[in-house]
Amino acid sequence: MPERDDYLERYMSVKSIVREALPFELVCTIGGVFAGIILVRMVDMIETIPGLLVLVPAILGMRGNISCTLGSRLGSAIHLGLVSRIERNPELINNVAGSLTLSLIMSVVLGILAHLFTVALGMESVGVVVLVSIAVFAGVSSGLILAVIAVVITIGAFRHGIDPDNVTTPALGTLGDVITMLMVFCAAEAVIWIWHITP
Amino acid sequence: MAYYTVTGIVKRGTPVLLVAAIISTTAGQLLHAGQDLLLTFPVLLILIPPLIKVGGDTGSILGARLSSALHLGLVEPVGGVVVRNNILACLVIGCISCVVLSVAVWAAAILLGIDVVYGLLLKITLIAGCIEMVVVFAATVGIAFVSHKHGLDPDDVVIPLITSIGDIVGIVAVFVAAWVVG
């Protein structure tokens, strides 16, 4: 089977894997640098809110996991012909609502986990209420923004004859960290303002 | 009845996310423990999110490709050419990304008015990147083969676990690299 051998040769060649995956990886990396720039602007807040730094990788990770699975489910749904219009569509609403519910539950869990873990290790924590507030605000608001982006990209790509599976998840992966970090920043600002936290 | 339901999505998502949450809070504790170092050298704060992303992404690419290869029955023994070439390709992607990353972080630091020597930053990025990739790739190959052997779909298991493990390894790797470089 010469065709199969050809395909396998390409499938296994280092060169073709690098050529296909590298450009996207570089775009993602630059996206990550923007997230890093927002994090470094938060140096003062990190000192003011002990425990904030514990939350950062956890919220970023949760956000990535939830919105990428949403993107890939939406891709499957649109391929199955379940999503053809935006308004009054139960499949679409359930997918977004399911993701947001998961974000809410996991944000509360993350806030509590971060507090308990920090205290258990004998380090200072700002308190469970503040950490849960930051996690919920950042987790749910970034989840909402990314859900809207996921829906728009998925439907837009499909209408233009592009496979959403190839576009939605990479786009969410790149935008996700920046938007989530921005929301953590806003949440920390809000919390400092509401509870008048001073270092 | 809708194909996708809110309860279905929540039920299927929660277990994996809980495991990922515990692993990534551990990563957060490591960051917290190294807070003094990070506040003294803020450039490390710019470096960490993209670096753990490179590790997680290259690990995910490797994991997804190995999963497909396992599904297709293309993987002979662990030392076979498919596994070897996939690992090599992901290493090349990771190393190029690390070099580009060091330049981007350097540019960002200059824009923000943070003092940093480029040579030092390149060394830290490369050392941390290599430590991260070696550990993450080993874990990826292990998890892919073990989950496949036990009849679990590697697609469901490998990526969430690898991105979370990548967080921990990446943060430790940055601290190690910063310590090695001085």
Side-chain angles (χ1 to χ4, degrees):
Chain A
M1 286 185 289
E3 273 170 36
R4 185 169 185 269
D5 288 350
D6 260 12
Y7 176 77
L8 276 183
E9 209 164 284
R10 251 185 305 121
Y11 182 79
M12 292 188 300
S13 101
V14 175
K15 217 166 148 193
S16 75
I17 303 173
V18 172
R19 204 185 295 142
E20 278 173 27
L22 184 62
F24 161 60
E25 185 51 43
L26 290 180
V27 175
C28 264
T29 306
I30 302 301
V33 174
F34 281 100
I37 292 175
I38 301 173
L39 184 60
V40 85
R41 305 291 280 181
M42 292 169 56
V43 165
D44 296 340
M45 296 179 190
I46 292 172
E47 278 179 295
T48 313
I49 309 177
L52 176 62
L53 208 47
V54 180
L55 271 180
V56 169
I59 297 182
L60 287 183
M62 171 196 78
R63 189 69 282 133
N65 284 336
I66 295 181
S67 54
C68 287
T69 44
L70 171 68
S72 96
R73 275 201 315 274
L74 286 178
S76 308
I78 209 163
H79 281 305
L80 292 169
L82 296 174
V83 175
S84 47
R85 57 197 167 92
I86 295 182
E87 67 284 354
R88 267 178 289 145
N89 187 322
E91 302 293 352
L92 202 60
I93 293 168
N94 285 354
N95 259 308
V96 173
S99 278
L100 289 178
T101 314
L102 264 181
S103 305
L104 180 64
I105 298 172
M106 291 313 299
S107 298
V108 175
V109 172
L110 284 181
I112 298 172
L113 213 57
H115 171 76
L116 291 180
F117 215 150
T118 309
V119 173
L121 289 176
M123 286 186 283
E124 194 192 350
S125 163
V126 70
V128 70
V129 180
V130 174
L131 289 184
V132 169
S133 311
I134 295 175
V136 168
F137 180 95
V140 175
S141 63
S142 60
L144 196 61
I145 297 172
L146 289 169
V148 172
I149 295 176
V151 170
V152 170
I153 295 180
T154 305
I155 293 180
F158 196 72
R159 285 199 180 147
H160 287 90
I162 303 166
D163 184 347
D165 284 338
N166 292 339
V167 195
T168 314
T169 315
L172 288 176
T174 312
L175 293 172
D177 279 3
V178 184
I179 292 174
T180 311
M181 198 61 100
L182 204 59
M183 287 302 137
V184 173
F185 182 90
C186 296
E189 283 276 22
V191 157
I192 290 177
W193 183 72
I194 293 171
W195 274 283
H196 304 291
I197 300 170
T198 44
Chain B
M1 194 58 197
Y3 181 77
Y4 289 105
T5 59
V6 175
T7 44
I9 292 170
V10 171
K11 262 188 202 150
R12 276 196 305 274
T14 309
V16 182
L17 285 173
L18 269 180
V19 175
I22 292 169
I23 302 178
S24 60
T25 337
T26 311
Q29 288 301 344
L30 290 168
L31 266 189
H32 195 192
Q35 187 162 327
D36 293 340
L37 178 73
L38 295 174
L39 294 178
T40 322
F41 302 103
V43 73
L44 296 180
L45 278 176
I46 312 181
L47 180 64
I48 285 176
L51 189 86
I52 58 182
K53 201 162 168 53
V54 170
D57 286 346
T58 48
S60 301
I61 297 173
L62 180 64
R65 295 187 59 89
L66 287 182
S67 304
S68 304
L70 285 165
H71 280 305
L72 292 169
L74 286 175
V75 178
E76 332 74 63
V78 183
V81 69
V82 175
V83 178
R84 198 187 61 213
N85 281 2
N86 273 309
I87 294 175
L88 268 179
C90 289
L91 270 178
V92 172
I93 295 169
C95 288
I96 298 176
S97 301
C98 280
V99 174
V100 173
L101 174 61
S102 66
V103 177
V105 171
W106 177 67
I110 289 179
L111 282 177
L112 294 171
I114 300 168
D115 260 346
V116 62
V117 183
Y118 177 70
L120 222 55
L121 185 60
L122 180 66
K123 266 190 219 158
I124 293 180
T125 314
L126 284 180
I127 295 173
C130 288
I131 298 175
E132 158 138 45
M133 280 188 283
V134 168
V135 179
V136 167
F137 291 180
T140 307
V141 175
I143 295 172
F145 277 90
V146 169
S147 56
H148 182 70
K149 201 178 163 195
H150 292 278
L152 292 166
D153 184 346
D155 280 330
D156 289 339
V157 188
V158 176
I159 290 175
L161 283 181
I162 284 305
T163 47
S164 313
I165 294 173
D167 288 356
I168 294 190
V169 179
I171 290 165
V172 174
V174 169
F175 288 151
V176 171
W179 175 73
V180 168
V181 172

